[in-house]
Amino acid sequence: MMKELSFASFLCILAMTQATDKVQNRRKLQAVDFIGDGCIDYNPTDMTWIDYPFGDDETLQNVQLGCSFTLGGTLRPTVDINSNGHLHFDGSEDTFVTPDYFVNSPYYEIAPYWADVNVQAHGDIRYKQFGDKFVVFWVDAAEFGGGSYATNTFQVVLSSDASTDPKICFCYHDMQWVGDGNVGISMGPRSGFHLAEFTQTDATWNGLGTSNNGVQALNGRSFCFNPNDVINPRNPPTEADLTFVRSESNPGTGGDPHFKTWHNEHYQYHGQCDLVLAKDATFADELGLDIHIRTKLVRHWSYIKTAAIRIGNDILEIEGSGKGEDKEVHYWMNYEYQGDLTEFAGFPVTIKADGTKLHKNRIEIDLSSKYPGQKIVLSTFKEFVKVDFVSPTAETFGNTVGMLGD
């Protein structure tokens, strides 16, 4: 017998359907929330991004970085942005190249995904200075000749010499096509760091953190490193090289919102609902765990407005802020605004308030006393809220049900 559909459920499904139809027609308007502290999330209401109308195989030359950035012992005040997914200094090829060329390139090049991109067919390339960083963002970029208009969304972030963050970060949101793609940096012939290569005939990757996977292995991942720590002539990198690269790919939510399940599956949802992210009545010796999120619909996309977590008798709720550089962490501990929060259900808590304009404000719940090395992190970027599970294991979260799977 079919159960009756409640009016609230009907409205939720209707909102999701309407949002999905609109997003398919105007995907460039949606927010993009990258995983990784070195990445810069994209808010479509932020008008400070520069949207240059790139042609096919086009290079925009001498773009001012706006910060002090040294590469190869030389101060680099400007950078050339190439539409095919790479940055370069002192010259380069404008077209897409083979892996052999990239490994032997005589130029200084930074390639988050160097392939045959065609934003004239679909997508945009945007860039901006962001505090002590410079970021270039390929959003919904199509492959040249790709009739189905599968798209790739990724970015590269350069941090200034004065920053404590790694100098280069590659960040990936949704990668759908392969092309003859190269990921890495070049600092002269046989001197560079080749993280990965993909070919049309062999769309596998044996790079960082995974093996024998297609380009989708990059989804929801970020790779941050300092060039001087990883440069050597070996290709591919050895295990010793990999220790210098900070790779982040946690199960959880992005603020736009996208979801990464326990099984490393990646999907998006655009609608307005209250959702159960994870639930486990047996968590932490029967204390129990509930994590709920609330999404809000804005024109053609949605984002996570609030998140709430319960462990035992403690309840914590967090919300973002649209007030520019807001260094307040807006949370409620057991219904009290900014109540005492040094621990949560017996687990130590750390609050970091770096300002929503440049960095994420966050609350970290350290589960190490019972589950070594594991954390639940609630963070905000402007209005967006996200939830990350750091180093989760099946022992800890194997009984959960919800949006992250079971």
Side-chain angles (χ1 to χ4, degrees):
M1 180 177 179
M2 183 179 294
K3 295 183 179 180
E4 291 186 10
L5 185 67
S6 70
F7 183 68
S9 298
F10 170 78
L11 290 179
C12 183
I13 294 171
L14 179 61
M16 181 177 67
T17 302
Q18 291 174 337
T20 299
D21 290 340
K22 292 175 180 176
V23 168
Q24 286 175 345
N25 293 330
R26 300 186 66 186
R27 292 186 61 197
K28 290 181 287 186
L29 292 178
Q30 71 181 25
V32 176
D33 191 359
F34 289 97
I35 292 176
D37 288 342
C39 305
I40 304 298
D41 296 332
Y42 173 67
N43 182 344
T45 64
D46 183 351
M47 297 293 103
T48 62
W49 289 90
I50 298 173
D51 185 1
Y52 180 79
F54 279 86
D56 186 36
D57 296 338
E58 182 178 353
T59 295
L60 178 62
Q61 296 181 329
N62 298 320
V63 179
Q64 293 290 328
L65 290 177
C67 59
S68 175
F69 182 78
T70 301
L71 185 67
T74 301
L75 184 64
R76 311 283 179 169
T78 65
V79 66
D80 295 345
I81 303 173
N82 183 265
S83 62
N84 285 321
H86 73 280
L87 314 180
H88 58 257
F89 309 85
D90 306 327
S92 179
E93 290 290 332
D94 289 339
T95 60
F96 72 98
V97 296
T98 64
D100 285 342
Y101 170 87
F102 184 75
V103 173
N104 292 284
S105 171
Y107 303 111
Y108 284 82
E109 297 162 326
I110 299 174
Y113 201 81
W114 190 342
D116 199 2
V117 178
N118 184 12
V119 291
Q120 286 185 312
H122 194 279
D124 281 311
I125 302 171
R126 303 179 180 187
Y127 66 93
K128 68 180 294 185
Q129 183 189 355
F130 206 82
D132 62 356
K133 304 180 188 304
F134 180 82
V135 56
V136 184
F137 177 37
W138 285 259
V139 54
D140 294 336
E143 180 186 11
F144 185 83
S148 63
Y149 288 153
T151 61
N152 287 345
T153 297
F154 59 95
Q155 72 174 205
V156 56
V157 181
L158 309 182
S159 293
S160 75
D161 296 338
S163 175
T164 58
D165 292 331
K167 289 184 70 69
I168 299 174
C169 283
F170 296 157
C171 308
Y172 303 91
H173 179 70
D174 187 15
M175 304 293 286
Q176 300 176 1
W177 59 267
V178 178
D180 289 312
N182 291 275
V183 179
I185 61 176
S186 173
M187 296 179 72
R190 300 298 298 177
S191 179
F193 185 51
H194 204 193
L195 278 88
E197 64 182 56
F198 302 85
T199 67
Q200 295 281 21
T201 56
D202 183 18
T204 60
W205 178 42
N206 294 299
L208 295 175
T210 186
S211 61
N212 296 320
N213 285 314
V215 70
Q216 290 79 14
L218 294 174
N219 287 350
R221 299 186 70 89
S222 64
F223 305 96
C224 298
F225 54 91
N226 293 309
N228 290 338
D229 291 336
V230 297
I231 294 302
N232 65 60
R234 295 187 294 273
N235 178 44
T238 68
E239 287 299 318
D241 300 324
L242 307 191
T243 62
F244 294 107
V245 180
R246 188 178 72 196
S247 174
E248 298 189 52
S249 179
N250 298 319
T253 72
D256 52 349
H258 68 257
F259 299 86
K260 192 157 194 175
T261 71
W262 305 118
H263 300 291
N264 206 37
E265 297 170 327
H266 182 272
Y267 68 96
Q268 300 181 49
Y269 164 83
H270 287 277
Q272 185 162 300
C273 288
D274 290 345
L275 303 170
V276 178
L277 186 65
K279 179 181 180 67
D280 177 11
T282 66
F283 180 80
D285 296 330
E286 312 295 327
L287 283 178
L289 170 71
D290 288 286
I291 303 179
H292 292 192
I293 59 174
R294 174 169 293 174
T295 58
K296 181 178 179 179
L297 194 62
V298 181
R299 298 189 301 276
H300 311 300
W301 52 277
S302 63
Y303 67 94
I304 299 175
K305 177 177 171 55
T306 57
I309 178 173
R310 180 198 67 83
I311 299 178
N313 294 321
D314 283 343
I315 299 175
L316 173 64
E317 183 177 352
I318 188 171
E319 186 174 282
S321 170
K323 297 195 307 182
E325 189 172 0
D326 187 350
K327 293 190 176 182
E328 292 288 326
V329 181
H330 300 282
Y331 71 90
W332 291 258
M333 176 61 179
N334 292 328
Y335 307 105
E336 179 184 354
Y337 180 66
Q338 294 184 341
D340 180 52
L341 187 56
T342 56
E343 65 174 36
F344 183 75
F347 296 107
V349 171
T350 301
I351 301 177
K352 297 182 179 180
D354 295 321
T356 55
K357 184 176 181 181
L358 299 180
H359 301 283
K360 298 180 181 70
N361 293 335
R362 61 172 57 201
I363 298 174
E364 297 182 356
I365 304 171
D366 190 347
L367 307 177
S368 295
S369 60
K370 184 166 184 62
Y371 306 110
Q374 300 180 62
K375 296 179 181 180
I376 299 175
V377 180
L378 312 175
S379 59
T380 64
F381 173 75
K382 297 190 176 182
E383 299 98 325
F384 306 141
V385 176
K386 64 188 295 188
V387 182
D388 285 319
F389 296 83
V390 179
S391 303
T393 65
E395 175 191 3
T396 308
F397 298 104
N399 293 323
T400 61
V401 296
M403 298 293 288
L404 300 185
D406 50 47

